[in-house]
Coordinates of all heavy atoms in Angstrom, one line a residue:
M300 N 106.4 11.1 15.2 CA 106.4 9.6 15.2 C 105.2 9.1 14.3 O 105.3 8.1 13.7 CB 106.3 9.1 16.6 CG 107.6 9.1 17.4 SD 108.9 8.3 16.4 CE 108.9 6.7 17.0
K301 N 104.1 9.8 14.4 CA 102.9 9.4 13.7 C 103.1 9.4 12.2 O 102.7 8.5 11.5 CB 101.7 10.2 14.1 CG 100.4 9.7 13.5 CD 99.2 10.4 14.1 CE 98.0 9.9 13.5 NZ 97.0 9.3 14.4
L302 N 103.9 10.4 11.7 CA 104.2 10.5 10.3 C 105.0 9.3 9.8 O 104.7 8.8 8.8 CB 105.0 11.8 10.1 CG 105.4 12.1 8.6 CD1 104.1 12.2 7.7 CD2 106.1 13.4 8.5
I303 N 105.9 8.9 10.6 CA 106.7 7.7 10.3 C 105.8 6.4 10.2 O 105.9 5.6 9.3 CB 107.9 7.5 11.3 CG1 108.9 8.6 11.2 CG2 108.6 6.1 11.1 CD1 110.0 8.6 12.2
H304 N 104.9 6.3 11.2 CA 104.0 5.2 11.2 C 103.1 5.2 10.0 O 103.0 4.1 9.3 CB 103.2 5.2 12.5 CG 102.1 4.1 12.5 ND1 102.4 2.8 12.7 CD2 100.8 4.2 12.4 CE1 101.3 2.1 12.6 NE2 100.3 2.9 12.4
N305 N 102.6 6.3 9.6 CA 101.8 6.4 8.4 C 102.6 6.1 7.2 O 102.0 5.4 6.3 CB 101.1 7.8 8.3 CG 100.1 8.1 9.3 OD1 99.5 7.1 9.9 ND2 99.8 9.3 9.5
H306 N 103.8 6.5 7.1 CA 104.6 6.2 5.9 C 104.9 4.7 5.8 O 104.7 4.2 4.7 CB 105.9 7.0 6.0 CG 106.9 6.8 4.9 ND1 106.5 6.7 3.5 CD2 108.2 6.6 4.8 CE1 107.5 6.5 2.8 NE2 108.6 6.4 3.5
T307 N 105.1 4.1 6.9 CA 105.3 2.6 6.9 C 104.1 1.9 6.5 O 104.1 1.0 5.7 CB 105.8 2.2 8.3 OG1 107.0 2.9 8.7 CG2 106.0 0.7 8.4
S308 N 102.9 2.4 7.0 CA 101.7 1.8 6.6 C 101.4 1.9 5.1 O 100.9 0.9 4.5 CB 100.5 2.4 7.4 OG 100.6 2.1 8.8
L309 N 101.7 3.0 4.6 CA 101.6 3.2 3.1 C 102.5 2.3 2.3 O 102.1 1.7 1.3 CB 101.8 4.7 2.8 CG 100.7 5.7 3.2 CD1 101.2 7.1 2.9 CD2 99.4 5.4 2.5
D310 N 103.7 2.2 2.8 CA 104.6 1.3 2.1 C 104.1 -0.2 2.2 O 104.2 -0.9 1.2 CB 106.0 1.3 2.8 CG 106.8 2.6 2.5 OD1 106.4 3.3 1.5 OD2 107.8 2.9 3.2
E311 N 103.6 -0.6 3.3 CA 103.1 -2.0 3.5 C 101.9 -2.2 2.6 O 101.8 -3.2 1.9 CB 102.7 -2.2 4.9 CG 104.0 -2.3 5.8 CD 103.6 -2.3 7.3 OE1 102.4 -2.3 7.7 OE2 104.6 -2.5 8.1
T312 N 101.0 -1.2 2.5 CA 99.8 -1.3 1.7 C 100.3 -1.4 0.2 O 99.7 -2.2 -0.5 CB 98.9 -0.1 1.9 OG1 98.5 -0.1 3.3 CG2 97.7 -0.2 1.0
A313 N 101.2 -0.5 -0.2 CA 101.7 -0.5 -1.6 C 102.3 -1.9 -1.9 O 102.0 -2.5 -3.0 CB 102.7 0.6 -1.8
Y314 N 103.0 -2.5 -1.0 CA 103.6 -3.8 -1.2 C 102.6 -4.9 -1.4 O 102.7 -5.7 -2.3 CB 104.6 -4.1 0.0 CG 105.1 -5.5 -0.1 CD1 106.2 -5.8 -1.0 CD2 104.6 -6.6 0.6 CE1 106.7 -7.1 -1.1 CE2 105.1 -7.8 0.5 CZ 106.2 -8.1 -0.3 OH 106.7 -9.3 -0.4
L315 N 101.5 -4.8 -0.6 CA 100.5 -5.8 -0.6 C 99.7 -5.7 -1.9 O 99.1 -6.7 -2.4 CB 99.5 -5.7 0.6 CG 100.2 -6.1 1.9 CD1 99.2 -5.8 3.0 CD2 100.5 -7.6 1.9
L316 N 99.6 -4.5 -2.5 CA 98.7 -4.3 -3.7 C 99.5 -4.3 -5.0 O 98.9 -4.1 -6.0 CB 98.0 -3.0 -3.5 CG 97.0 -2.9 -2.3 CD1 96.4 -1.5 -2.3 CD2 95.9 -4.0 -2.5
E317 N 100.8 -4.6 -4.9 CA 101.6 -4.4 -6.1 C 101.5 -5.5 -7.1 O 101.8 -5.3 -8.3 CB 103.1 -4.2 -5.8 CG 103.8 -5.4 -5.3 CD 105.3 -5.1 -4.9 OE1 105.7 -4.0 -5.0 OE2 106.0 -6.1 -4.5
N318 N 100.9 -6.7 -6.8 CA 100.8 -7.7 -7.8 C 99.3 -8.3 -7.8 O 98.6 -8.2 -6.7 CB 101.8 -8.8 -7.7 CG 101.6 -9.7 -6.5 OD1 100.6 -10.4 -6.4 ND2 102.6 -9.8 -5.7
K319 N 98.9 -8.8 -8.9 CA 97.5 -9.2 -9.1 C 97.1 -10.3 -8.1 O 96.0 -10.3 -7.6 CB 97.3 -9.7 -10.5 CG 95.9 -10.0 -10.8 CD 95.7 -10.4 -12.3 CE 94.3 -10.8 -12.6 NZ 94.1 -11.1 -14.0
Q320 N 98.0 -11.3 -7.9 CA 97.7 -12.4 -7.0 C 97.4 -11.9 -5.5 O 96.5 -12.4 -4.9 CB 98.8 -13.4 -7.0 CG 98.5 -14.7 -6.3 CD 99.6 -15.7 -6.4 OE1 100.7 -15.4 -7.0 NE2 99.4 -16.9 -5.9
S321 N 98.3 -11.0 -5.1 CA 98.1 -10.5 -3.7 C 96.8 -9.7 -3.6 O 96.1 -9.8 -2.6 CB 99.2 -9.6 -3.3 OG 100.4 -10.3 -3.2
R322 N 96.5 -8.9 -4.6 CA 95.2 -8.1 -4.6 C 94.0 -9.0 -4.6 O 93.1 -8.8 -3.8 CB 95.2 -7.2 -5.8 CG 96.1 -6.0 -5.8 CD 95.8 -5.0 -6.9 NE 95.9 -5.5 -8.2 CZ 96.9 -5.6 -9.0 NH1 98.1 -5.2 -8.5 NH2 96.9 -6.1 -10.2
E323 N 94.1 -10.1 -5.4 CA 92.9 -11.0 -5.4 C 92.8 -11.7 -4.1 O 91.7 -11.9 -3.6 CB 93.1 -12.0 -6.5 CG 91.9 -12.9 -6.7 CD 90.6 -12.2 -7.0 OE1 90.6 -11.1 -7.6 OE2 89.5 -12.7 -6.6
F324 N 93.9 -12.1 -3.5 CA 93.9 -12.8 -2.2 C 93.2 -11.9 -1.1 O 92.4 -12.3 -0.3 CB 95.3 -13.2 -1.8 CG 95.3 -13.9 -0.5 CD1 95.0 -15.3 -0.4 CD2 95.7 -13.3 0.7 CE1 95.1 -16.0 0.8 CE2 95.7 -13.9 1.9 CZ 95.4 -15.3 2.0
L325 N 93.7 -10.6 -1.1 CA 93.1 -9.7 -0.2 C 91.6 -9.4 -0.4 O 90.8 -9.4 0.5 CB 93.9 -8.3 -0.2 CG 95.3 -8.3 0.3 CD1 96.0 -7.0 0.0 CD2 95.2 -8.5 1.9
R326 N 91.3 -9.3 -1.7 CA 89.8 -9.1 -2.0 C 89.0 -10.3 -1.5 O 87.9 -10.1 -0.9 CB 89.7 -9.0 -3.5 CG 88.5 -8.3 -4.0 CD 88.5 -8.0 -5.5 NE 89.4 -7.0 -5.9 CZ 90.5 -7.1 -6.7 NH1 90.7 -8.3 -7.3 NH2 91.3 -6.2 -7.0
E327 N 89.5 -11.5 -1.7 CA 88.7 -12.7 -1.3 C 88.7 -12.7 0.3 O 87.6 -13.1 0.8 CB 89.4 -14.0 -1.8 CG 89.3 -14.2 -3.3 CD 90.0 -15.4 -3.7 OE1 90.4 -16.3 -2.9 OE2 90.3 -15.5 -4.9
S328 N 89.7 -12.4 0.9 CA 89.8 -12.3 2.4 C 88.8 -11.3 3.0 O 88.1 -11.6 3.9 CB 91.2 -12.0 2.9 OG 92.1 -13.0 2.5
I329 N 88.7 -10.1 2.3 CA 87.8 -9.1 2.8 C 86.3 -9.6 2.6 O 85.5 -9.4 3.4 CB 88.0 -7.8 2.0 CG1 89.4 -7.2 2.5 CG2 86.9 -6.8 2.3 CD1 89.9 -6.1 1.7
Q330 N 86.1 -10.3 1.4 CA 84.8 -10.8 1.2 C 84.4 -11.9 2.2 O 83.2 -11.9 2.7 CB 84.6 -11.3 -0.3 CG 83.2 -11.7 -0.7 CD 82.3 -10.5 -0.7 OE1 82.6 -9.5 -1.3 NE2 81.2 -10.6 0.1
Q331 N 85.3 -12.7 2.5 CA 85.0 -13.8 3.5 C 84.7 -13.1 4.9 O 83.8 -13.6 5.5 CB 86.2 -14.7 3.7 CG 86.4 -15.6 2.5 CD 87.7 -16.4 2.6 OE1 88.5 -16.2 3.5 NE2 87.9 -17.4 1.7
L332 N 85.4 -12.1 5.2 CA 85.2 -11.4 6.5 C 83.8 -10.8 6.5 O 83.0 -10.9 7.4 CB 86.2 -10.4 6.7 CG 86.1 -9.5 8.0 CD1 86.2 -10.4 9.2 CD2 87.2 -8.5 8.1
Q333 N 83.4 -10.1 5.4 CA 82.1 -9.5 5.3 C 81.0 -10.5 5.3 O 79.9 -10.2 5.8 CB 82.0 -8.6 4.0 CG 82.9 -7.4 4.1 CD 83.0 -6.6 2.7 OE1 82.8 -7.2 1.7 NE2 83.4 -5.4 2.8
D334 N 81.2 -11.7 4.7 CA 80.2 -12.7 4.7 C 80.1 -13.5 6.0 O 79.2 -14.3 6.2 CB 80.5 -13.7 3.6 CG 80.3 -13.1 2.2 OD1 79.7 -12.0 2.1 OD2 80.8 -13.7 1.2
G335 N 81.0 -13.2 7.0 CA 81.0 -13.9 8.2 C 81.7 -15.3 8.1 O 81.5 -16.1 9.0
N336 N 82.3 -15.6 7.0 CA 83.0 -16.8 6.8 C 84.4 -16.8 7.3 O 85.4 -16.8 6.5 CB 82.9 -17.2 5.3 CG 83.4 -18.5 5.0 OD1 83.5 -19.4 5.9 ND2 83.8 -18.8 3.7
V337 N 84.6 -16.8 8.6 CA 85.9 -16.7 9.2 C 86.0 -17.7 10.3 O 85.0 -18.2 10.9 CB 86.1 -15.3 9.8 CG1 86.2 -14.2 8.7 CG2 85.1 -14.9 10.9
T338 N 87.2 -18.0 10.6 CA 87.5 -18.9 11.8 C 88.5 -18.1 12.7 O 89.5 -17.6 12.3 CB 88.3 -20.2 11.3 OG1 87.4 -20.8 10.4 CG2 88.6 -21.1 12.4
I339 N 88.1 -18.1 14.0 CA 88.9 -17.4 15.0 C 89.8 -18.5 15.6 O 89.3 -19.5 16.1 CB 88.0 -16.7 16.0 CG1 87.2 -15.7 15.4 CG2 88.9 -16.2 17.1 CD1 86.2 -15.0 16.2
L340 N 91.1 -18.2 15.6 CA 92.1 -19.2 16.1 C 92.5 -18.7 17.5 O 92.8 -17.5 17.7 CB 93.3 -19.3 15.2 CG 93.0 -19.7 13.8 CD1 94.3 -19.7 13.0 CD2 92.4 -21.1 13.8
T341 N 92.6 -19.6 18.4 CA 93.1 -19.4 19.7 C 94.6 -19.5 19.7 O 95.2 -20.0 18.7 CB 92.6 -20.4 20.7 OG1 93.1 -21.7 20.4 CG2 91.0 -20.5 20.8
P342 N 95.3 -19.0 20.7 CA 96.8 -19.2 20.7 C 97.2 -20.6 20.6 O 98.2 -20.9 19.9 CB 97.2 -18.6 22.1 CG 96.1 -17.6 22.4 CD 94.8 -18.2 21.8
D343 N 96.4 -21.5 21.2 CA 96.7 -23.0 21.0 C 96.6 -23.4 19.6 O 97.4 -24.2 19.0 CB 95.9 -23.8 21.9 CG 96.3 -23.7 23.4 OD1 97.5 -23.3 23.6 OD2 95.5 -24.1 24.2
D344 N 95.5 -22.9 18.9 CA 95.3 -23.2 17.5 C 96.5 -22.8 16.7 O 97.0 -23.5 15.8 CB 94.1 -22.6 16.9 CG 92.8 -23.1 17.5 OD1 92.8 -24.3 18.0 OD2 91.8 -22.3 17.6
W345 N 97.0 -21.6 16.9 CA 98.2 -21.0 16.2 C 99.4 -21.9 16.4 O 100.1 -22.2 15.5 CB 98.4 -19.6 16.6 CG 97.6 -18.6 15.9 CD1 96.6 -17.9 16.5 CD2 97.6 -18.2 14.5 NE1 96.0 -17.1 15.5 CE2 96.6 -17.2 14.3 CE3 98.5 -18.5 13.5 CZ2 96.4 -16.6 13.1 CZ3 98.3 -17.9 12.2 CH2 97.3 -17.0 12.1
K346 N 99.6 -22.3 17.7 CA 100.7 -23.1 18.0 C 100.7 -24.4 17.3 O 101.6 -24.9 16.7 CB 100.8 -23.3 19.5 CG 102.1 -24.0 19.9 CD 102.3 -23.9 21.4 CE 103.6 -24.4 21.9 NZ 104.7 -23.5 21.6
N347 N 99.5 -25.1 17.3 CA 99.3 -26.3 16.6 C 99.5 -26.2 15.1 O 100.1 -27.0 14.4 CB 97.9 -26.9 16.8 CG 97.7 -27.3 18.2 OD1 98.6 -27.7 19.0 ND2 96.5 -27.4 18.7
L348 N 99.1 -25.1 14.5 CA 99.3 -24.8 13.1 C 100.8 -24.6 12.8 O 101.3 -25.2 11.8 CB 98.5 -23.6 12.7 CG 98.5 -23.2 11.2 CD1 98.0 -24.3 10.3 CD2 97.7 -21.9 11.0
E349 N 101.4 -23.9 13.6 CA 102.8 -23.6 13.5 C 103.6 -25.0 13.6 O 104.5 -25.2 12.7 CB 103.3 -22.7 14.6 CG 104.8 -22.3 14.5 CD 105.2 -21.4 15.6 OE1 105.1 -21.8 16.8 OE2 105.6 -20.3 15.3
N350 N 103.2 -25.8 14.5 CA 103.9 -27.1 14.6 C 103.7 -28.0 13.4 O 104.6 -28.7 12.9 CB 103.4 -27.9 15.9 CG 103.9 -27.2 17.1 OD1 105.0 -26.5 17.1 ND2 103.2 -27.4 18.2
A351 N 102.5 -28.0 12.9 CA 102.1 -28.8 11.7 C 102.9 -28.3 10.5 O 103.5 -29.1 9.7 CB 100.6 -28.7 11.4
I352 N 103.0 -27.0 10.3 CA 103.8 -26.4 9.2 C 105.3 -26.8 9.4 O 106.0 -27.1 8.4 CB 103.6 -24.9 9.1 CG1 102.2 -24.6 8.7 CG2 104.6 -24.3 8.2 CD1 101.8 -23.1 8.8
S353 N 105.8 -26.7 10.6 CA 107.2 -27.0 10.9 C 107.5 -28.5 10.5 O 108.5 -28.8 9.9 CB 107.5 -26.7 12.3 OG 108.8 -27.1 12.6
R354 N 106.5 -29.4 10.9 CA 106.7 -30.8 10.5 C 106.7 -31.0 9.0 O 107.6 -31.7 8.5 CB 105.7 -31.6 11.2 CG 105.8 -31.9 12.7 CD 104.9 -32.9 13.2 NE 103.5 -32.6 13.0 CZ 102.7 -31.9 13.8 NH1 103.2 -31.4 14.9 NH2 101.4 -31.6 13.5
Q355 N 105.8 -30.3 8.3 CA 105.8 -30.5 6.8 C 107.1 -29.9 6.2 O 107.7 -30.5 5.3 CB 104.6 -29.7 6.3 CG 103.3 -30.4 6.5 CD 102.1 -29.7 5.9 OE1 102.2 -28.5 5.6 NE2 101.0 -30.3 5.8
T356 N 107.5 -28.8 6.7 CA 108.7 -28.2 6.2 C 110.0 -29.0 6.4 O 110.8 -29.2 5.5 CB 109.0 -26.8 6.8 OG1 107.8 -26.0 6.6 CG2 110.2 -26.1 6.2
S357 N 110.1 -29.6 7.6 CA 111.2 -30.5 7.8 C 111.1 -31.8 7.0 O 112.1 -32.3 6.6 CB 111.3 -30.8 9.4 OG 110.3 -31.6 9.8
H358 N 109.9 -32.2 6.8 CA 109.7 -33.4 6.0 C 110.2 -33.2 4.5 O 110.9 -34.0 3.9 CB 108.3 -33.9 5.9 CG 107.9 -35.0 5.0 ND1 108.3 -36.3 5.3 CD2 107.3 -35.0 3.8 CE1 107.9 -37.1 4.3 NE2 107.3 -36.3 3.4
F359 N 109.9 -32.0 4.0 CA 110.3 -31.7 2.6 C 111.8 -31.5 2.5 O 112.4 -31.9 1.6 CB 109.6 -30.4 2.1 CG 108.2 -30.6 1.8 CD1 107.2 -29.8 2.4 CD2 107.7 -31.5 0.9 CE1 105.8 -29.9 2.1 CE2 106.4 -31.7 0.6 CZ 105.4 -30.9 1.2
S360 N 112.4 -30.9 3.5 CA 113.8 -30.7 3.5 C 114.6 -32.0 3.6 O 115.7 -32.2 3.1 CB 114.3 -29.7 4.5 OG 113.9 -30.0 5.8
Q361 N 114.0 -33.0 4.3 CA 114.6 -34.3 4.3 C 114.5 -35.1 3.0 O 115.4 -35.9 2.7 CB 113.9 -35.2 5.4 CG 114.2 -34.7 6.8 CD 113.4 -35.4 7.9 OE1 112.7 -36.3 7.6 NE2 113.5 -35.0 9.1
D362 N 113.5 -34.8 2.2 CA 113.4 -35.4 0.9 C 114.4 -34.9 -0.1 O 114.6 -35.6 -1.1 CB 112.0 -35.2 0.3 CG 110.9 -35.9 1.1 OD1 111.3 -36.9 1.9 OD2 109.7 -35.6 1.0
S363 N 115.0 -33.8 0.1 CA 116.0 -33.2 -0.9 C 117.2 -33.9 -1.0 O 117.8 -34.5 -0.1 CB 116.3 -31.7 -0.5 OG 115.1 -31.0 -0.4

């Protein structure tokens, strides 16, 4: 089972690194983490964010 997990992790890593924009985003994220420039979200924060995104998405689909 561990071999399958490692293979999946390698596939996911390869996918994330396959284009320049993704690599730069990851690089910036790692730098922010190292600099302590992070925000910790609570489950309520995530739910509020999800609701806000859902409202924006439904607003855009109504404009179509």
Side-chain angles (χ1 to χ4, degrees):
M300 283 311 266
K301 188 170 181 124
L302 181 60
I303 292 171
H304 174 71
N305 288 341
H306 180 39
T307 302
S308 295
L309 289 173
D310 287 344
E311 291 170 356
T312 301
Y314 175 78
L315 291 172
L316 298 175
E317 73 183 2
N318 71 60
K319 185 178 180 178
Q320 186 175 9
S321 291
R322 286 190 304 271
E323 186 58 31
F324 182 81
L325 287 170
R326 202 173 289 120
E327 288 175 19
S328 297
I329 291 167
Q330 188 62 53
Q331 288 173 353
L332 181 60
Q333 290 172 339
D334 293 344
N336 185 17
V337 296
T338 301
I339 297 173
L340 299 177
T341 66
D343 286 341
D344 294 333
W345 278 107
K346 188 167 187 76
N347 291 337
L348 182 61
E349 182 181 62
N350 290 337
I352 291 170
S353 178
R354 284 191 302 272
Q355 286 180 341
T356 303
S357 67
H358 174 72
F359 286 125
S360 52
Q361 291 174 2
D362 291 343
S363 301

